[in-house]
Amino acid sequence: MPDGMLHKPDRDPRNFTLEQWQQSKRAGKDPQKLIGIFQDCWSVSDNAASFAHALDEHGYVLAKGRRGFVAVDHEGEVFAVSKWTKKRVKDVREKLGSPDALPSVDRAHEKAAQRVTDRLKEIQAQKDLEERMRMDRLAAAQARHQQMQHAAKARLLTEQRERQIQEAKDRDEKLRKGLLGLLDRITGQRKRTLKENDLAKQHAQRRDQMERQALRDLQASSRAQALQKRNTIKTCFDEVQNELRKDLHRMKSCSAGTQANTVEDRLSDYQQLKRRSSLSPSEPSIER
């Protein structure tokens, strides 16, 4: 069960987190811990009211079973008080009196299930809010990142234009004027210079194109990583919400009492009783 339903520092049965809820479903119930809970509740109480209150702090509802006092959890599990406290039935009756004023097993089950349902709804709403806030932060970060990418692209284009102007000026300066220019024409030097300038221009164009492509690749990779991160977060959120919806549907069925027949079937089914006997310190745990 959730730590908030087991540990004394966290006595409120609704005081469990999503992580604790998921862990409790994976771990199942520890018989020794359950025995400790029932014995602790028994030792700190002196009548039915205080015992019921002590059990309630651990997520159990005291109810009237077929043969005496039982405790019911949100899953509909029924635990005979005499067996889990290791007290004689006579001692239980002397301390707690008559169970006639207590709710039935089904009503106790509904109460315990409804309590957990309320907490799961709180967690679901909290996760919805956290997801919206996280997506808003991601959207804001993505907008800032997009602005930075646009600025980087504009800065590169500006730098390239300035460099192209300077490189064109440098190439023009290599073409001498006047008498020296005439001499270059006569000797063929001007033609060789023009060819060198054309090769240099082509090299510069390829260089600029490679720089722009490298920037596009880098920005595309960055956008892909951001999208993958967003999709990962969204997938995790969807998985958590789907699990919560399933749990809420199950708890809603419990609180509506739709599992009452199932509880009766388990009581009359010897194989189910035999399997559940592993939870009891000495005998099968279900008693109604």
Side-chain angles (χ1 to χ4, degrees):
M1 299 179 67
D3 287 343
M5 301 172 111
L6 288 175
H7 295 167
K8 291 183 179 180
D10 304 310
R11 281 185 171 270
D12 188 345
R14 292 157 293 187
N15 187 29
F16 59 86
T17 65
L18 174 63
E19 292 74 17
Q20 290 171 333
W21 171 256
Q22 292 172 331
Q23 182 181 10
S24 71
K25 291 196 300 180
R26 292 192 300 267
K29 297 182 178 70
D30 184 340
Q32 294 304 317
K33 287 185 178 181
L34 292 178
I35 292 172
I37 288 174
F38 277 84
Q39 291 182 337
D40 287 345
C41 293
W42 179 267
S43 63
V44 299
S45 59
D46 53 12
N47 53 42
S50 59
F51 185 58
H53 179 72
L55 287 174
D56 186 74
E57 289 178 340
H58 291 283
Y60 296 91
V61 178
L62 188 63
K64 177 184 177 181
R66 286 184 174 180
R67 295 187 293 276
F69 291 91
V70 296
V72 185
D73 68 3
H74 67 282
E75 293 285 354
E77 295 286 354
V78 183
F79 302 86
V81 170
S82 61
K83 294 183 178 66
W84 288 90
T85 57
K86 293 189 175 182
K87 301 296 180 181
R88 296 183 303 172
V89 174
K90 178 181 177 181
D91 295 335
V92 172
R93 289 176 179 173
E94 288 180 356
K95 185 171 185 176
L96 303 184
S98 173
D100 292 340
L102 296 175
S104 66
V105 168
D106 290 339
R107 293 295 299 170
H109 180 198
E110 292 174 19
K111 179 180 178 181
Q114 185 60 50
R115 188 161 49 196
V116 174
T117 298
D118 293 340
R119 177 54 183 158
L120 288 178
K121 287 181 178 179
E122 292 177 3
I123 292 177
Q124 188 179 47
Q126 179 184 356
K127 291 301 176 182
D128 278 335
L129 178 60
E130 291 177 358
E131 179 66 12
R132 287 196 298 270
M133 294 175 62
R134 183 178 298 174
M135 287 302 176
D136 288 344
R137 290 195 297 269
L138 285 176
Q142 184 177 3
R144 290 193 301 269
H145 189 63
Q146 189 174 14
Q147 291 177 353
M148 292 173 61
Q149 287 189 338
H150 288 327
K153 181 179 179 180
R155 185 165 55 251
L156 176 62
L157 293 177
T158 299
E159 293 174 354
Q160 287 186 344
R161 281 196 297 269
E162 293 176 351
R163 187 172 58 192
Q164 289 168 1
I165 294 173
Q166 182 61 46
E167 289 176 346
K169 182 179 178 181
D170 294 340
R171 289 193 298 270
D172 287 343
E173 289 178 352
K174 292 181 179 180
L175 299 174
R176 296 191 292 185
K177 306 296 189 293
L179 293 176
L180 293 177
L182 179 60
L183 179 62
D184 287 346
R185 287 176 183 273
I186 295 172
T187 61
Q189 180 60 41
R190 180 180 176 83
K191 185 177 181 179
R192 290 191 293 271
T193 302
L194 286 172
K195 186 176 181 180
E196 291 175 357
N197 286 348
D198 186 58
L199 291 174
K201 182 179 180 180
Q202 293 179 19
H203 175 75
Q205 289 175 343
R206 289 194 298 269
R207 178 203 61 204
D208 293 347
Q209 184 178 6
M210 291 175 62
E211 289 178 349
R212 292 192 296 271
Q213 186 62 46
L215 180 61
R216 284 194 294 269
D217 292 343
L218 179 62
Q219 292 183 343
S221 175
S222 179
R223 289 193 297 270
Q225 290 178 1
L227 180 60
Q228 183 180 7
K229 178 180 179 181
R230 183 183 183 280
N231 291 339
T232 300
I233 293 174
K234 186 67 168 59
T235 299
C236 293
F237 171 76
D238 290 342
E239 290 176 354
V240 169
Q241 288 293 57
N242 287 336
E243 184 179 359
L244 283 173
R245 279 192 289 269
K246 291 178 182 178
D247 291 338
L248 279 170
H249 179 73
R250 182 165 53 86
M251 289 296 101
K252 183 178 180 181
S253 299
C254 291
S255 62
T258 58
Q259 291 189 349
N261 292 334
T262 304
V263 174
E264 292 289 348
D265 291 341
R266 290 204 304 265
L267 289 170
S268 62
D269 190 330
Y270 174 77
Q271 293 300 327
Q272 290 284 1
L273 285 173
K274 185 176 181 180
R275 183 164 64 251
R276 290 176 183 274
S277 65
S278 61
L279 289 176
S280 174
S282 57
E283 301 179 36
S285 65
I286 298 179
E287 177 180 323
R288 287 185 64 177

